[in-house]
């Protein structure tokens, strides 16, 4: 009868050379089941140990936790930790390489045994299968059927085992190959640079912790001091590896090697450099075109979108080509090779490119602070209204432009994103009326949280004869404020296919090129009924409004000219007028004027009003 193993004395020892090792355990005593919950592992070569504990600070939380659990189970535990017996950087790396060589040899033997077993099993399966080579099926009712079925099962089992061993051989072969290449990968200069970056960050962190522990009198002062010592040792050792690689001809790229406009080689492709940063390069990037032999700034700026960039660490750089050399090759439909780019980079270094750029005369761009640089659109939660705010270059509300309220068409609601046509069209429509347009950069944010976009003034187009005549009438007629420049989008559908010079829209075919008939001037000595007041309304398709939407108040003569103009009707709305509008608030209500029809009013020489007198004039009374 087997009894419970006696609970003996357990020793947990930590040294820099051997790491954390547990001694005194025997098979079946339950020690491993306890300490495995605290990060201990088992190896036939080492025993019970903590993986990755060699040449490092002792993991006290694991050791103390395991010791407490063992004592609770009735074991006697002794813990010995020696942090002072440290080794040099060369000794540590040499020991790691030796362990890697041992792993490579051990994994290679396992791969060989698995491959041999796979071949043997396959041969055995082939030998069994020879009895079926003639194609004779198994005769179920024959006395040979049981033996045939057993042979078939053995053949399938051996074939399955052969496949399993073959996969195992491939696994161990890959592990052996990785272990054999440990030294090469460990000392790779570019990997070492990334490792140094991480070690320096850890050193700065430990220095902060050590200073804080000293100031507050914590017990962790010695531990932080040891960690700082270890990090400084490793950093000095890896810096020697980098210096050795430089002496052997390895190029270590830095910010001094690049200038904006150069092309950098990364992962087999060339990318134009947009910005040179201390730690990374900002390159032109367009995911839809990647991978591409050469990615230029133009490739990374699709129409209607902002420039796309991506950051590249200097350790991933594998070559440089001056911008003018790459452009010359691209003009011929070619891509320079690595050797050609290297020669060009030697002849035209980045310092020369920066010096030539600095020698060019630069004109300081001064923007008018009175002109807004951005707009912000915030949509209400119910999506029935939106607020458009003009912003300065510092994204602050512009003091000369008051926020305005945008409303969707009748029966519709705004969308929660600025890419939807409803809210975007309303914003573009209003901006065009104020003489602004959106720049190429895209919207940032969502409409509910607030979406912003860069804007610019619409440049003045070459005046046409009709525009010159309208300008002359506008100078003669009194105006409340200066009219904005005509928009470069269709005043009806706001499509970008609008031609300002031809005044023709390729989308809705709006063509207001015919000279509009201006309102005739009334005779001085007679009172014409057309001089009485009328109200101009907006009538939308499928409108269900209880009250009419009043836009302007003007004379009947002016209302006829405005509503008869082809530019005041579109696919979804028209302008109409009435001299009996009814009562304000009951039959009609004022709606905002977004300014999209200001060019029509300017051409006709009309200055509308935004107030209405309910009393009828004498001429209208006489004709009633």
């Amino acid at each position: 009868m087997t009894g419970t193993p006696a609970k003996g004395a357990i020793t947990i020892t930590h040294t820099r050379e051997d790491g954390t090792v547990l001694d005194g355990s025997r098979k079946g005593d339950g020690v491993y089941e306890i300490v495995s919950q605290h990060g201990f592992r088992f190896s036939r070569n080492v025993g019970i140990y903590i993986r990755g504990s060699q040449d490092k600070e002792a993991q006290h939380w694991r050791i103390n936790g395991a010791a407490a659990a063992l004592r609770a189970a009735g074991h006697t535990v002794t813990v010995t930790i020696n942090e002072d017996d440290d080794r040099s950087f060369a000794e540590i790396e040499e020991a790691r390489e030796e362990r890697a060589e041992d792993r490579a040899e051990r994994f290679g033997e396992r791969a060989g045994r698995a491959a041999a077993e796979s071949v043997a099993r396959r041969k055995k399966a082939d030998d069994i299968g020879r009895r079926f080579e003639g194609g004779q099926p198994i005769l179920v009712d024959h006395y040979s059927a049981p033996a045939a079925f057993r042979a078939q099962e053995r053949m399938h089992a051996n074939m399955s085992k052969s496949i399993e061993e073959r996969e195992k051989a491939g696994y161990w072969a890959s592990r052996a190959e990785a272990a054999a290449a440990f030294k090469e990968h460990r000392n790779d200069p570019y990997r070492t640079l990334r490792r140094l970056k991480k070690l320096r960050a850890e050193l700065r962190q430990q220095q902060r912790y050590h200073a804080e522990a000293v100031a507050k009198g914590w017990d962790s002062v010695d531990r932080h001091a040891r960690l700082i010592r270890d990090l400084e040792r490793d950093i000095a050792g890896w810096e020697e590896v980098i210096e050795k690689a430089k002496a052997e001809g390895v190029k270590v790229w830095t910010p001094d090697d690049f200038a904006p406009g150069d092309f950098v080689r990364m992962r087999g492709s060339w990318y134009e450099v947009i910005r040179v940063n201390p730690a990374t390069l900002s390159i032109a990037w367009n995911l839809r075109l990647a991978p591409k032999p050469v990615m230029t700034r133009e490739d990374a700026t699709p129409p209607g979108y902002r420039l796309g960039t991506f950051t590249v660490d200097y350790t991933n750089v594998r070559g440089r080509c001056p911008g003018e050399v790459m452009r010359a090759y691209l003009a011929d439909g070619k891509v320079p090779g690595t050797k050609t780019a290297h020669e060009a980079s030697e002849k035209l270094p980045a310092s020369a490119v920066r010096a030539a750029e600095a020698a060019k005369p630069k004109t300081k761009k001064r923007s008018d602070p009175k002109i807004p640089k951005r707009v912000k659109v915030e949509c209400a939660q119910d999506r029935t209204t939106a607020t458009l705010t003009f912003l300065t270059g510092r994204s602050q509300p512009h003091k000369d432009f008051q926020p305005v309220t945008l409303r969707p068409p009748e029966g519709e609601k705004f969308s929660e994103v600025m890419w939807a046509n409803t809210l975007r069209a309303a914003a573009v429509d209003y901006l065009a009326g104020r003489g602004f347009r959106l720049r190429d950069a895209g919207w940032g944010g969502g409409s509910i949280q607030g979406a912003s976009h860069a804007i610019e003034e619409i440049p003045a187009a070459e005046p046409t004869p009709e525009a010159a005549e309208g300008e002359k009438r506008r100078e003669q007629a009194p105006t409340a404020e200066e009219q904005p420049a005509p928009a470069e989008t269709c005043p009806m559908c706001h499509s970008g296919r609008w031609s300002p010079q031809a005044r023709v829209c390729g989308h809705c075919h709006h063509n207001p090129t015919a000279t509009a008939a201006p309102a005739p001037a009334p005779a001085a000595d007679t009172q014409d009924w057309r001089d009485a007041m009328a109200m101009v309304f907006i009538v939308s398709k499928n409108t269900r409004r209880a009250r009419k939407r009043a836009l302007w108040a003007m004379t009947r003569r002016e209302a006829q000219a405005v509503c008869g103009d082809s530019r005041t009707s579109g696919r979804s709305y028209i302008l109409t007028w009435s001299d009996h509008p009814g009562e304000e608030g009951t039959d009609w209500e004022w709606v905002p004027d977004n300014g999209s029809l200001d060019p029509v009013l300017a051409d006709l020489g009309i200055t509308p009003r935004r107030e209405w007198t309910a009393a009828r004039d004498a001429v209208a009374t006489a004709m009633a």
Side-chain angles (χ1 to χ4, degrees):
M1 181 175 181
T2 303
T4 303
K7 298 181 179 180
I10 303 298
T11 302
I12 301 178
T13 306
H14 174 82
T15 61
R16 289 303 182 98
E17 182 176 357
D18 298 328
T20 304
V21 181
L22 185 147
D23 296 321
S25 174
R26 298 189 304 274
K27 184 176 180 181
D29 60 0
V31 171
Y32 178 72
E33 287 74 14
I34 296 174
V35 298
S36 63
Q37 305 298 323
H38 299 274
F40 283 76
R41 294 294 179 263
F42 176 77
S43 170
R44 285 180 291 180
N45 298 325
V46 181
I48 300 176
Y49 71 107
I50 294 180
R51 181 180 297 174
S53 59
Q54 287 179 293
D55 300 304
K56 292 184 179 179
E57 183 82 8
Q59 302 179 22
H60 293 272
W61 68 95
R62 295 187 187 275
I63 296 173
N64 296 334
L70 290 172
R71 292 189 183 103
H75 295 275
T76 302
V77 182
T78 302
V79 177
T80 304
I81 297 177
N82 182 7
E83 297 284 6
D84 299 326
D85 189 10
D86 199 4
R87 295 192 293 178
S88 64
F89 177 82
E91 292 174 340
I92 294 173
E93 290 302 312
E94 183 179 358
R96 284 178 176 162
E97 292 172 5
E98 291 178 357
R99 293 196 297 269
E101 293 175 359
D102 294 340
R103 288 198 303 272
E105 183 179 357
R106 187 166 62 253
F107 296 158
E109 292 176 356
R110 293 179 185 177
R113 289 196 299 268
E117 180 67 15
S118 175
V119 173
R121 290 288 188 148
R122 175 61 187 265
K123 184 177 182 303
K124 191 172 183 179
D126 292 342
D127 292 340
I128 298 173
R130 288 194 179 91
R131 66 177 298 172
F132 302 105
E133 287 181 352
Q136 175 67 36
I138 298 176
L139 304 177
V140 180
D141 297 333
H142 197 263
Y143 70 91
S144 61
F149 282 120
R150 289 193 299 271
Q152 188 182 56
E153 291 176 0
R154 291 197 307 274
M155 181 179 65
H156 290 167
N158 281 280
M159 182 59 70
S160 299
K161 187 64 176 179
S162 173
I163 295 173
E164 180 183 347
E165 291 296 327
R166 183 181 63 190
E167 294 175 352
K168 187 184 297 185
Y171 168 77
W172 289 117
S174 63
R175 291 285 302 273
E177 182 180 356
F182 172 81
K183 182 178 180 179
E184 179 183 356
H185 287 277
R186 181 76 172 170
N187 296 314
D188 180 82
Y190 299 111
R191 287 185 174 87
T192 303
L193 287 171
R194 290 192 289 270
R195 188 182 300 117
L196 276 172
K197 182 179 179 181
K198 181 180 179 181
L199 291 175
R200 290 180 181 126
E202 293 179 359
L203 176 61
R204 292 191 297 268
Q205 183 186 57
Q206 290 300 325
Q207 289 173 343
R208 291 194 301 268
Y209 290 165
H210 181 266
E212 184 179 7
V214 171
K216 297 183 179 180
W218 291 344
D219 297 336
S220 59
V221 174
D222 294 338
R223 176 174 178 270
H224 293 307
R226 286 193 300 269
L227 290 173
I228 291 174
R229 180 195 62 191
D230 295 344
L231 290 170
E232 290 176 345
R233 175 203 62 199
D234 293 344
I235 290 173
W238 291 120
E239 286 178 347
E240 292 180 3
V241 173
I242 294 298
E243 293 301 326
K244 182 180 178 182
K246 289 182 179 179
E248 294 175 354
V250 176
K251 175 61 177 177
V252 177
W253 299 94
T254 64
D256 296 335
D257 297 322
F258 293 93
D262 290 343
F263 283 79
V264 58
R265 186 167 182 82
M266 191 266 298
R267 296 178 182 175
S269 298
W270 293 97
Y271 299 89
E272 185 172 358
V273 177
I274 306 301
R275 288 183 300 275
V276 179
N277 311 312
T280 59
L281 287 174
S282 296
I283 61 173
W285 180 255
N286 188 338
L287 184 60
R288 295 180 177 88
L289 299 180
K292 195 174 186 290
V294 180
M295 184 80 71
T296 64
R297 177 188 289 265
E298 293 76 16
D299 296 330
T301 312
Y305 292 85
R306 61 167 62 96
L307 172 66
T309 60
F310 190 76
T311 57
V312 176
D313 192 270
Y314 288 104
T315 58
N316 293 321
V317 173
R318 295 297 180 268
R320 169 189 175 266
C321 182
E324 60 181 49
V325 176
M326 179 63 73
R327 297 286 181 180
Y329 271 88
L330 293 178
D332 296 336
K334 300 178 181 178
V335 178
T338 305
K339 183 178 179 180
T340 304
H342 176 71
E343 295 175 354
S345 180
E346 292 291 334
K347 294 179 181 179
L348 188 61
S351 58
V353 176
R354 289 192 296 268
E357 189 67 23
K360 294 181 181 179
K362 298 188 179 190
T363 57
K364 188 175 181 180
K365 296 182 179 180
R366 294 183 178 272
S367 58
D368 190 353
K370 296 182 179 180
I371 300 176
K373 306 301 185 296
R374 300 184 66 85
V375 291
K376 183 178 182 180
V377 178
E378 298 175 283
C379 185
Q381 293 293 336
D382 56 3
R383 296 183 291 139
T384 58
T385 59
T387 303
L388 186 146
T389 306
F390 288 91
L391 305 177
T392 63
R394 298 183 177 180
S395 298
Q396 298 296 324
H398 203 287
K399 61 180 180 180
D400 297 335
F401 291 79
Q402 297 297 324
V404 297
T405 302
L406 305 177
R407 290 184 172 83
E410 179 66 23
E412 299 183 17
K413 286 188 176 182
F414 288 137
S415 300
E416 296 182 1
V417 293
M418 284 305 302
W419 298 112
N421 292 330
T422 308
L423 185 53
R424 181 179 57 182
V428 171
D429 185 11
Y430 178 79
L431 290 173
R434 297 296 299 268
F436 295 97
R437 66 182 179 184
L438 302 177
R439 294 179 62 182
D440 291 338
W443 286 96
S447 62
I448 298 297
Q449 297 80 10
S452 60
H453 200 296
I455 62 173
E456 61 184 359
E457 287 188 302
I458 300 176
E462 182 179 355
T464 59
E466 294 83 357
E469 184 66 23
E471 180 66 23
K472 182 178 180 181
R473 288 196 299 268
R474 185 162 60 252
E475 292 177 355
Q476 296 175 355
T479 57
E481 59 181 2
E482 185 180 356
Q483 300 292 337
E488 290 193 352
T489 58
C490 178
M492 295 295 104
C493 67
H494 309 290
S495 170
R497 298 173 64 183
W498 167 260
S499 175
Q501 289 77 18
R503 304 183 71 186
V504 176
C505 180
H507 183 258
C508 66
H509 307 291
H510 179 58
N511 184 10
T513 54
T515 303
D525 56 348
T526 60
Q527 179 66 37
D528 195 333
W529 72 274
R530 290 177 294 179
D531 294 332
M533 297 301 298
M535 182 74 70
V536 177
F537 298 100
I538 303 176
V539 180
S540 299
K541 183 179 180 181
N542 298 328
T543 182
R544 295 181 177 85
R545 278 184 172 269
R547 292 190 291 267
K548 300 177 182 178
R549 294 182 290 171
L551 189 59
W552 302 308
M554 56 183 63
T555 65
R556 294 192 183 104
R557 186 195 315 274
E558 293 171 337
Q560 287 177 336
V562 169
C563 298
D565 194 290
S566 60
R567 291 172 289 177
T568 61
S569 62
R571 294 179 300 168
S572 60
Y573 79 97
I574 61 172
L575 296 188
T576 185
W577 65 276
S578 173
D579 54 2
H580 299 283
E583 297 182 3
E584 181 178 359
T586 303
D587 302 313
W588 59 274
E589 62 182 359
W590 292 107
V591 296
D593 179 11
N594 60 15
S596 62
L597 297 177
D598 287 352
V600 179
L601 299 176
D603 291 346
L604 298 178
I606 298 174
T607 303
R609 298 190 299 175
R610 297 279 292 177
E611 58 183 6
W612 176 256
T613 304
R616 301 176 63 190
D617 57 272
V619 177
T621 303
M623 297 184 63

